[in-house]
Amino acid sequence: MTPQARLSAAIDVLDRILAGAVVEQALTNWGRASRFAGSGDRAGVRDLVFDALRCKRSYAALGGALTGRGLVLGGLRDRGLDPAEWFSGEGHAPSVLTDADAGFTPAGTVALDCPEWLAGPLQTALGDDFTAVMQALRHRAPVFLRVNLAKATVAVAIEALAAEGILCKLNQLAKTALEVTENARKIQNSQAYLSGLVELQDAASQAVIAALPLADGQRVLDYCSGGGGKALAMAAQAPVTLVAHDVDPRRMRDIPARAARAGAKITVVETAALGKGYDVILTDVPCSGSGSWRRDPQGKWALTEARLTALCQIQAQILDSVAGLLAPNGTLAYATCSMLNAENEDQITAFLARHPGWSNPLQRRFSPLQGADGFFVALLTRDV
């Protein structure tokens, strides 16, 4: 495909998404219908689509319309390219520009691609970092790997990856975190990945696990396990008896295969079989995902005030329900990939008000300005 043809394809996919399609499904459907597109073409169209969604407000302003055409046109203008050279109407290129394609230079929250209703809460939470963080979220997220210390040292993992052309550098947030600097798209077919030496996991997510007081022989529960990324990280950090749970067991279907590849033992259970007496419980609760909007830009624009309120209620309910599963002297860890106070510090304050006799020995935020996603973790202990 020519670069112009990729623009036309991105316009088509974006129009489907704007009409209500899920991003991954829209891309998959386009790929299946476009057998002529090679792997480089599919990756190129995907990048155009995700760039446009991260910057939807500003690109629509620059492109003159909230349409696939307007977003792609706005993206060209944002990069300082002459749209007339790309919108030529020749071959598979988008049709030539008209007066209707005129746009304007965005300012304020539009330029920052921040949903208007969230600007106030985010400014409160981020303070002087608000502008810099929102700018960071307009760009592609780095790719991070977690070295599986149960199978390899960091140096061995870096060498194994380099042998396959995948170059990495250390990240300050966690001792196991590697930022991929070259050939990220080779990872999932690499022997280092397939043999369990490394896993894809954000550096801040790894730092959350590093903050947990894990020790040999503990009973540990990953209460909102999902695909099991944090459970795998916990299994590699210490020889614990690890239980994974999720309210929707279907989300955990890949855990057995992932655990086998990593050389980890994780018991998957449903709610009725949870039991009690856990030394550490991690609740990586459902949240707005505001710290990871670079990876899920559609989620940024889909979030509503009503949904945020519902999420906060779910978070409080989860904390209350798992508190009784903790052993004496145990630690309840609360984590989100959110940057909003309502989902972070405010939840901890409210929990402590509802549960006298509990303490909060640690709270920590991780900012996108540190290179990884925005995360929050707090540890809760019962006073005895």
Side-chain angles (χ1 to χ4, degrees), residues 146-160:
R146 176 180 58 78
V147 178
N148 180 8
L149 296 180
K151 284 200 167 187
T153 64
V154 171
V156 167
I158 291 175
E159 184 177 350

Side-chain angles (χ1 to χ4, degrees), residues 209-232:
I209 300 305
L212 304 182
L214 299 176
D216 295 7
Q218 290 177 327
R219 293 186 69 224
V220 178
L221 171 63
D222 184 7
Y223 186 78
C224 307
S225 192
K230 290 185 176 64
L232 289 168

Side-chain angles (χ1 to χ4, degrees), residues 3 28 41 71 80 85 126 137 176 191 210 217 229 304 333 346 348:
T28 298
D41 295 321
L71 292 175
E85 296 179 6
L126 299 172
L137 295 181
T176 53
Q191 281 304 305
T304 64
D346 292 354
I348 301 306

Side-chain angles (χ1 to χ4, degrees), residues 217-379:
Q218 290 177 327
R219 293 186 69 224
V220 178
L221 171 63
D222 184 7
Y223 186 78
C224 307
S225 192
K230 290 185 176 64
L232 289 168
M234 287 190 283
Q237 184 166 314
V240 299
T241 300
L242 191 57
V243 175
H245 163 274
D246 199 280
V247 67
D248 183 355
R250 294 172 297 180
R251 296 175 186 149
M252 301 188 291
R253 61 183 176 270
D254 294 335
I255 290 180
R258 295 182 72 186
R261 186 174 70 231
K265 184 177 180 181
I266 300 174
T267 302
V268 176
V269 303
E270 298 191 15
T271 303
L274 273 173
K276 296 182 178 182
Y278 293 98
D279 299 297
V280 177
I281 300 176
L282 171 63
T283 58
D284 181 16
V285 296
C287 70
S288 65
S290 52
S292 57
W293 277 340
R294 288 183 293 189
R295 304 181 194 278
D296 178 25
Q298 192 175 31
K300 171 165 66 170
W301 307 112
L303 184 66
T304 64
E305 292 184 68
R307 176 57 179 160
L308 179 59
T309 297
L311 285 168
C312 289
Q313 292 171 347
I314 292 169
Q315 293 157 5
Q317 290 166 2
I318 289 173
L319 278 173
D320 290 345
S321 65
V322 301
L325 307 182
L326 200 65
N329 300 310
T331 298
L332 171 57
Y334 174 84
T336 75
C337 55
S338 171
M339 300 183 296
L340 294 165
N341 290 347
E343 298 182 278
N344 295 333
E345 292 88 352
D346 292 354
Q347 285 287 16
I348 301 306
T349 298
F351 176 86
L352 295 174
R354 294 194 304 272
H355 297 270
W358 284 70
S359 298
N360 171 214
L362 180 144
Q363 278 190 35
R364 189 175 177 190
R365 276 180 175 260
F366 302 93
S367 166
L369 299 183
Q370 295 170 289
D373 290 348
F375 262 89
F376 173 83
V377 63
L379 304 185

